[in-house]
């Protein structure tokens, strides 16, 4: 049951990205979206439905976001500390 909940949450987290990419692959330049299945659309859909949850369950470190921001002010403070140590 826990595995099923994790898989469903993985699908929900990736659904927005899947819809956006699917729209850009199938939409015409005027913005209309006729649903015509091509090799790329089928491949993208199958990879989302089968490979995406399997990948997230086998490699759980992909779920973690390792994005750290450091402000310019804190960088400049650390640069000043290093400059005074060298003097």
């Amino acid at each position: 049951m826990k595995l099923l909940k994790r898989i469903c949450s993985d699908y929900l987290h990736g659904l927005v990205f899947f819809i956006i990419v699917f729209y850009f692959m199938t939409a015409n330049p005027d913005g209309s979206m006729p649903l015509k299945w091509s090799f790329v659309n089928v491949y993208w859909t199958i990879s989302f439905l089968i490979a995406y949850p399997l990948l997230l369950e086998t490699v759980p470190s992909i779920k973690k976001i390792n994005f750290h921001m450091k402000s310019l002010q804190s960088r400049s403070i650390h640069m000043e500390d290093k400059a005074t140590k060298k003097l």
Side-chain angles (χ1 to χ4, degrees):
M1 188 66 180
K2 217 175 202 182
L3 179 66
L4 184 63
K5 285 182 183 178
R6 283 193 308 221
I7 290 174
C8 288
S9 69
D10 292 341
Y11 275 128
L12 290 175
H13 285 123
L15 187 63
V16 174
F17 181 73
F18 172 77
I19 291 172
I20 290 170
V21 172
F22 190 82
Y23 173 76
F24 283 123
M25 285 190 309
T26 58
N28 289 333
D30 62 353
S32 64
M33 187 177 146
L35 188 58
K36 295 179 183 175
W37 290 100
S38 65
F39 175 74
V40 177
N41 293 347
V42 171
Y43 181 76
W44 178 249
T45 305
I46 290 173
S47 67
F48 176 72
L49 293 177
I50 296 172
Y52 179 71
L54 289 176
L55 180 67
L56 290 179
E57 288 303 318
T58 55
V59 186
S61 63
I62 295 175
K63 292 182 185 179
K64 297 177 185 174
I65 299 172
N66 295 325
F67 182 70
H68 302 285
M69 293 182 62
K70 198 170 191 180
S71 67
L72 291 175
Q73 182 180 6
S74 63
R75 282 186 184 181
S76 65
I77 290 171
H78 291 296
M79 289 173 78
E80 289 175 6
D81 290 343
K82 290 178 184 176
T84 55
K85 288 179 183 177
K86 288 182 182 178
L87 292 176

